[in-house]
Amino acid sequence: MRGPTFRELAVQALSSVERGYDLLAPKFDATPFRTPDWMLAATITALREHGPFERGLDVCTGTGAGLALLEEATTEAPTGMDFSAGMLEQARAAHPDADLVRADARALPFGAAYDLVVSFGALGHFLPEERRPLFEGVYRALRPGGVFALPMSRAPKPTQPTYWLLSGFDLAMRVRNAVWRPTFVMYYRTHPRQALFADLAAAGFTVETTPMPGVGELIIARRPPG
């Protein structure tokens, strides 16, 4: 698959989040933004000590990378949720047995139906004040004792070029959103580890971590049983 051109990426970046992903969807899997297979494999390995799982939900599924993980980690057909119709169309082609739902992650329409919820690379699309509604919706979607699994790559240090690349991207997006409408919310450095832990705890989760050697860690947020 040929990746998107610079012009196509520019048009996406000047659109809303929803419209931008609708435009990018047919070529999304050829971009570096798609969750890499090594991250999926590391997550599956880290999840093994917390299962087994029957029914899973992938929040902000995009073209369905997380659905592939759920197909391996759970015993029932997975559910994927996204608010981009274009991305869901691609996910449906790749995962015809999945149940796909178009919805806003800040108002998840699920109630105590899943024992595993995952999300990959989506936190940058939520402003800090939007994380609480997201996490509360995930909490409601889980059965008692269920797990919300959030894989986190190791954060780069200021001595590493990646740190400044991500910081520069965030600055560029802040300038773009200050002068252009509609906004495109996508930031890499708005969800530090301790803030995530605090917001998950405030939503009712108990939080622990499982190492993912060479990758980072898997945050395990569990809805208390009973």
Side-chain angles (χ1 to χ4, degrees):
M1 178 191 299
R2 184 176 65 87
T5 64
F6 177 81
R7 180 182 180 279
E8 289 171 327
L9 288 173
V11 170
Q12 183 221 10
L14 294 175
S15 305
S16 67
V17 178
E18 180 180 354
R19 177 59 178 157
Y21 276 106
D22 284 347
L23 292 170
L24 187 59
K27 297 183 178 181
F28 182 79
D29 286 350
T31 73
F33 308 116
R34 190 250 189 204
T35 302
D37 290 339
W38 53 261
M39 175 64 82
L40 297 172
T43 303
I44 289 174
T45 298
L47 272 173
R48 286 183 181 137
E49 65 181 85
H50 301 282
F53 304 103
E54 294 181 1
R55 194 174 183 209
L57 167 67
D58 182 21
V59 173
C60 301
T61 192
T63 56
L67 294 176
L69 176 146
L70 291 176
E71 286 168 350
E72 182 171 342
T74 62
T75 58
E76 297 185 18
T79 299
M81 165 266 134
D82 205 283
F83 79 155
S84 165
M87 298 292 269
L88 288 175
E89 182 179 353
Q90 300 300 312
R92 186 169 291 107
H95 304 275
D97 294 332
D99 179 22
L100 298 177
V101 178
R102 188 181 181 194
D104 188 331
R106 295 164 296 188
L108 290 174
F110 309 106
Y114 303 95
D115 54 4
L116 174 62
V117 175
V118 297
S119 189
F120 293 89
L123 288 177
H125 290 305
F126 301 94
L127 298 172
E129 62 269 21
E130 295 174 324
R131 284 198 302 263
R132 183 78 174 270
L134 167 66
F135 293 163
E136 289 173 345
V138 172
Y139 186 94
R140 291 191 301 270
L142 283 166
R143 299 165 179 160
V147 165
F148 178 30
L150 270 174
M152 300 295 293
S153 299
R154 187 179 294 109
K157 299 178 180 180
T159 54
Q160 297 175 301
T162 302
Y163 177 94
W164 297 104
L165 177 65
L166 298 181
S167 298
F169 180 91
D170 282 5
L171 177 60
M173 292 304 296
R174 291 185 186 281
V175 172
R176 178 254 187 246
N177 288 332
V179 301
W180 190 269
R181 293 291 184 274
T183 58
F184 191 100
V185 177
M186 178 62 229
Y187 301 110
Y188 282 101
R189 300 185 55 77
T190 57
H191 44 278
R193 186 177 186 271
Q194 290 307 118
L196 289 181
F197 278 43
D199 288 343
L200 287 165
F205 289 102
T206 59
V207 186
E208 61 183 283
T209 62
T210 296
M212 295 196 297
V215 176
E217 63 183 0
L218 184 65
I219 297 176
I220 298 291
R222 191 179 298 275
R223 176 172 176 169

